PDB file of all heavy atoms in Angstrom:
ATOM      1  N   TYR T  93      12.311  18.256   9.422  1.00 93.00           N
ATOM      2  CA  TYR T  93      11.683  18.697   8.195  1.00 93.00           C
ATOM      3  C   TYR T  93      12.688  18.736   6.994  1.00 93.00           C
ATOM      4  O   TYR T  93      12.367  18.400   5.873  1.00 93.00           O
ATOM      5  CB  TYR T  93      11.047  20.182   8.418  1.00 93.00           C
ATOM      6  CG  TYR T  93      10.437  20.647   7.166  1.00 93.00           C
ATOM      7  CD1 TYR T  93       9.135  20.262   6.759  1.00 93.00           C
ATOM      8  CD2 TYR T  93      11.121  21.507   6.315  1.00 93.00           C
ATOM      9  CE1 TYR T  93       8.562  20.644   5.532  1.00 93.00           C
ATOM     10  CE2 TYR T  93      10.615  21.922   5.132  1.00 93.00           C
ATOM     11  CZ  TYR T  93       9.367  21.532   4.778  1.00 93.00           C
ATOM     12  OH  TYR T  93       8.770  22.027   3.558  1.00 93.00           O
ATOM     13  N   VAL T  94      13.884  19.204   7.341  1.00 95.00           N
ATOM     14  CA  VAL T  94      14.885  19.336   6.249  1.00 95.00           C
ATOM     15  C   VAL T  94      15.158  17.984   5.694  1.00 95.00           C
ATOM     16  O   VAL T  94      15.302  17.859   4.471  1.00 95.00           O
ATOM     17  CB  VAL T  94      16.099  20.037   6.784  1.00 95.00           C
ATOM     18  CG1 VAL T  94      17.307  19.879   5.832  1.00 95.00           C
ATOM     19  CG2 VAL T  94      15.961  21.501   7.127  1.00 95.00           C
ATOM     20  N   VAL T  95      15.346  16.977   6.547  1.00 95.00           N
ATOM     21  CA  VAL T  95      15.661  15.655   6.042  1.00 95.00           C
ATOM     22  C   VAL T  95      14.420  15.140   5.190  1.00 95.00           C
ATOM     23  O   VAL T  95      14.652  14.613   4.153  1.00 95.00           O
ATOM     24  CB  VAL T  95      15.929  14.699   7.147  1.00 95.00           C
ATOM     25  CG1 VAL T  95      16.023  13.177   6.729  1.00 95.00           C
ATOM     26  CG2 VAL T  95      17.234  15.028   7.941  1.00 95.00           C
ATOM     27  N   ASN T  96      13.180  15.342   5.671  1.00 96.00           N
ATOM     28  CA  ASN T  96      12.121  14.780   5.033  1.00 96.00           C
ATOM     29  C   ASN T  96      11.780  15.689   3.681  1.00 96.00           C
ATOM     30  O   ASN T  96      11.294  15.101   2.743  1.00 96.00           O
ATOM     31  CB  ASN T  96      10.800  14.845   5.929  1.00 96.00           C
ATOM     32  CG  ASN T  96      10.755  13.752   6.883  1.00 96.00           C
ATOM     33  OD1 ASN T  96      10.880  12.577   6.430  1.00 96.00           O
ATOM     34  ND2 ASN T  96      10.574  14.036   8.185  1.00 96.00           N
ATOM     35  N   SER T  97      12.148  16.899   3.728  1.00 98.00           N
ATOM     36  CA  SER T  97      12.061  17.663   2.467  1.00 98.00           C
ATOM     37  C   SER T  97      13.059  17.177   1.428  1.00 98.00           C
ATOM     38  O   SER T  97      12.599  17.026   0.221  1.00 98.00           O
ATOM     39  CB  SER T  97      12.337  19.083   2.764  1.00 98.00           C
ATOM     40  OG  SER T  97      12.124  19.961   1.559  1.00 98.00           O
ATOM     41  N   ALA T  98      14.263  16.907   1.786  1.00 98.00           N
ATOM     42  CA  ALA T  98      15.124  16.304   0.845  1.00 98.00           C
ATOM     43  C   ALA T  98      14.703  14.844   0.344  1.00 98.00           C
ATOM     44  O   ALA T  98      14.792  14.545  -0.811  1.00 98.00           O
ATOM     45  CB  ALA T  98      16.494  16.086   1.460  1.00 98.00           C
ATOM     46  N   PHE T  99      14.123  14.165   1.272  1.00 98.00           N
ATOM     47  CA  PHE T  99      13.527  12.763   0.970  1.00 98.00           C
ATOM     48  C   PHE T  99      12.364  12.994  -0.044  1.00 98.00           C
ATOM     49  O   PHE T  99      12.335  12.253  -1.070  1.00 98.00           O
ATOM     50  CB  PHE T  99      13.018  12.197   2.227  1.00 98.00           C
ATOM     51  CG  PHE T  99      12.197  10.990   2.086  1.00 98.00           C
ATOM     52  CD1 PHE T  99      12.703   9.830   1.441  1.00 98.00           C
ATOM     53  CD2 PHE T  99      10.926  10.938   2.672  1.00 98.00           C
ATOM     54  CE1 PHE T  99      11.897   8.703   1.247  1.00 98.00           C
ATOM     55  CE2 PHE T  99      10.083   9.750   2.610  1.00 98.00           C
ATOM     56  CZ  PHE T  99      10.695   8.663   1.844  1.00 98.00           C
ATOM     57  N   LYS T 100      11.520  13.937   0.148  1.00 98.00           N
ATOM     58  CA  LYS T 100      10.417  14.164  -0.798  1.00 98.00           C
ATOM     59  C   LYS T 100      10.912  14.587  -2.177  1.00 98.00           C
ATOM     60  O   LYS T 100      10.384  14.024  -3.223  1.00 98.00           O
ATOM     61  CB  LYS T 100       9.521  15.298  -0.182  1.00 98.00           C
ATOM     62  CG  LYS T 100       8.378  15.712  -1.053  1.00 98.00           C
ATOM     63  CD  LYS T 100       7.540  16.804  -0.350  1.00 98.00           C
ATOM     64  CE  LYS T 100       6.361  17.245  -1.238  1.00 98.00           C
ATOM     65  NZ  LYS T 100       5.335  16.284  -1.358  1.00 98.00           N
ATOM     66  N   SER T 101      11.840  15.435  -2.198  1.00 97.00           N
ATOM     67  CA  SER T 101      12.416  15.942  -3.469  1.00 97.00           C
ATOM     68  C   SER T 101      13.028  14.733  -4.258  1.00 97.00           C
ATOM     69  O   SER T 101      12.848  14.627  -5.471  1.00 97.00           O
ATOM     70  CB  SER T 101      13.417  17.008  -3.295  1.00 97.00           C
ATOM     71  OG  SER T 101      12.834  18.142  -2.698  1.00 97.00           O
ATOM     72  N   ASN T 102      13.753  13.920  -3.500  1.00 97.00           N
ATOM     73  CA  ASN T 102      14.397  12.782  -4.124  1.00 97.00           C
ATOM     74  C   ASN T 102      13.406  11.680  -4.672  1.00 97.00           C
ATOM     75  O   ASN T 102      13.458  11.261  -5.812  1.00 97.00           O
ATOM     76  CB  ASN T 102      15.387  12.251  -3.073  1.00 97.00           C
ATOM     77  CG  ASN T 102      16.212  11.001  -3.612  1.00 97.00           C
ATOM     78  OD1 ASN T 102      15.676  10.078  -4.160  1.00 97.00           O
ATOM     79  ND2 ASN T 102      17.515  11.052  -3.411  1.00 97.00           N
ATOM     80  N   ILE T 103      12.557  11.407  -3.807  1.00 98.00           N
ATOM     81  CA  ILE T 103      11.667  10.265  -4.107  1.00 98.00           C
ATOM     82  C   ILE T 103      10.502  10.562  -5.064  1.00 98.00           C
ATOM     83  O   ILE T 103      10.227   9.784  -6.075  1.00 98.00           O
ATOM     84  CB  ILE T 103      11.105   9.634  -2.843  1.00 98.00           C
ATOM     85  CG1 ILE T 103      12.170   8.981  -2.022  1.00 98.00           C
ATOM     86  CG2 ILE T 103       9.950   8.748  -3.127  1.00 98.00           C
ATOM     87  CD1 ILE T 103      12.850   7.844  -2.672  1.00 98.00           C
ATOM     88  N   GLU T 104       9.861  11.692  -4.987  1.00 98.00           N
ATOM     89  CA  GLU T 104       8.825  12.050  -5.828  1.00 98.00           C
ATOM     90  C   GLU T 104       9.149  12.202  -7.240  1.00 98.00           C
ATOM     91  O   GLU T 104       8.397  12.092  -8.211  1.00 98.00           O
ATOM     92  CB  GLU T 104       7.956  13.194  -5.292  1.00 98.00           C
ATOM     93  CG  GLU T 104       7.236  12.889  -3.956  1.00 98.00           C
ATOM     94  CD  GLU T 104       6.255  13.960  -3.559  1.00 98.00           C
ATOM     95  OE1 GLU T 104       6.360  15.065  -4.096  1.00 98.00           O
ATOM     96  OE2 GLU T 104       5.393  13.635  -2.715  1.00 98.00           O
ATOM     97  N   LYS T 105      10.400  12.618  -7.501  1.00 97.00           N
ATOM     98  CA  LYS T 105      10.891  12.762  -8.876  1.00 97.00           C
ATOM     99  C   LYS T 105      11.184  11.328  -9.459  1.00 97.00           C
ATOM    100  O   LYS T 105      11.140  11.300 -10.737  1.00 97.00           O
ATOM    101  CB  LYS T 105      12.255  13.562  -8.915  1.00 97.00           C
ATOM    102  CG  LYS T 105      12.023  15.105  -8.644  1.00 97.00           C
ATOM    103  CD  LYS T 105      13.374  15.790  -8.610  1.00 97.00           C
ATOM    104  CE  LYS T 105      13.189  17.210  -8.337  1.00 97.00           C
ATOM    105  NZ  LYS T 105      14.411  18.096  -8.338  1.00 97.00           N
ATOM    106  N   ARG T 106      11.470  10.403  -8.720  1.00 97.00           N
ATOM    107  CA  ARG T 106      11.928   9.100  -9.122  1.00 97.00           C
ATOM    108  C   ARG T 106      10.703   8.174  -9.353  1.00 97.00           C
ATOM    109  O   ARG T 106      10.738   7.210 -10.132  1.00 97.00           O
ATOM    110  CB  ARG T 106      12.940   8.459  -8.313  1.00 97.00           C
ATOM    111  CG  ARG T 106      14.254   9.232  -8.299  1.00 97.00           C
ATOM    112  CD  ARG T 106      15.190   8.780  -7.210  1.00 97.00           C
ATOM    113  NE  ARG T 106      15.259   7.402  -7.087  1.00 97.00           N
ATOM    114  CZ  ARG T 106      15.824   6.766  -6.106  1.00 97.00           C
ATOM    115  NH1 ARG T 106      16.122   7.425  -4.908  1.00 97.00           N
ATOM    116  NH2 ARG T 106      15.991   5.449  -6.067  1.00 97.00           N
ATOM    117  N   TYR T 107       9.709   8.293  -8.478  1.00 98.00           N
ATOM    118  CA  TYR T 107       8.576   7.384  -8.476  1.00 98.00           C
ATOM    119  C   TYR T 107       7.262   8.145  -8.598  1.00 98.00           C
ATOM    120  O   TYR T 107       6.874   8.986  -7.694  1.00 98.00           O
ATOM    121  CB  TYR T 107       8.595   6.551  -7.087  1.00 98.00           C
ATOM    122  CG  TYR T 107       9.710   5.733  -6.955  1.00 98.00           C
ATOM    123  CD1 TYR T 107      10.705   6.123  -5.867  1.00 98.00           C
ATOM    124  CD2 TYR T 107       9.958   4.544  -7.623  1.00 98.00           C
ATOM    125  CE1 TYR T 107      11.842   5.274  -5.809  1.00 98.00           C
ATOM    126  CE2 TYR T 107      11.005   3.756  -7.377  1.00 98.00           C
ATOM    127  CZ  TYR T 107      11.989   4.088  -6.421  1.00 98.00           C
ATOM    128  OH  TYR T 107      13.092   3.332  -6.228  1.00 98.00           O
ATOM    129  N   GLN T 108       6.435   7.854  -9.609  1.00 98.00           N
ATOM    130  CA  GLN T 108       5.166   8.449  -9.742  1.00 98.00           C
ATOM    131  C   GLN T 108       4.126   8.009  -8.792  1.00 98.00           C
ATOM    132  O   GLN T 108       3.160   8.682  -8.605  1.00 98.00           O
ATOM    133  CB  GLN T 108       4.740   8.286 -11.226  1.00 98.00           C
ATOM    134  CG  GLN T 108       5.649   8.819 -12.278  1.00 98.00           C
ATOM    135  CD  GLN T 108       5.625  10.302 -12.214  1.00 98.00           C
ATOM    136  OE1 GLN T 108       4.617  10.988 -12.096  1.00 98.00           O
ATOM    137  NE2 GLN T 108       6.785  10.956 -12.298  1.00 98.00           N
TER     138      GLN T 108
END
Side-chain angles (χ1 to χ4, degrees):
Y93 178 81
V94 168
V95 172
N96 280 311
S97 181
F99 171 55
K100 179 179 175 72
S101 297
N102 181 305
I103 290 298
E104 289 189 344
K105 289 180 180 178
R106 294 165 53 196
Y107 297 109
Q108 295 296 314

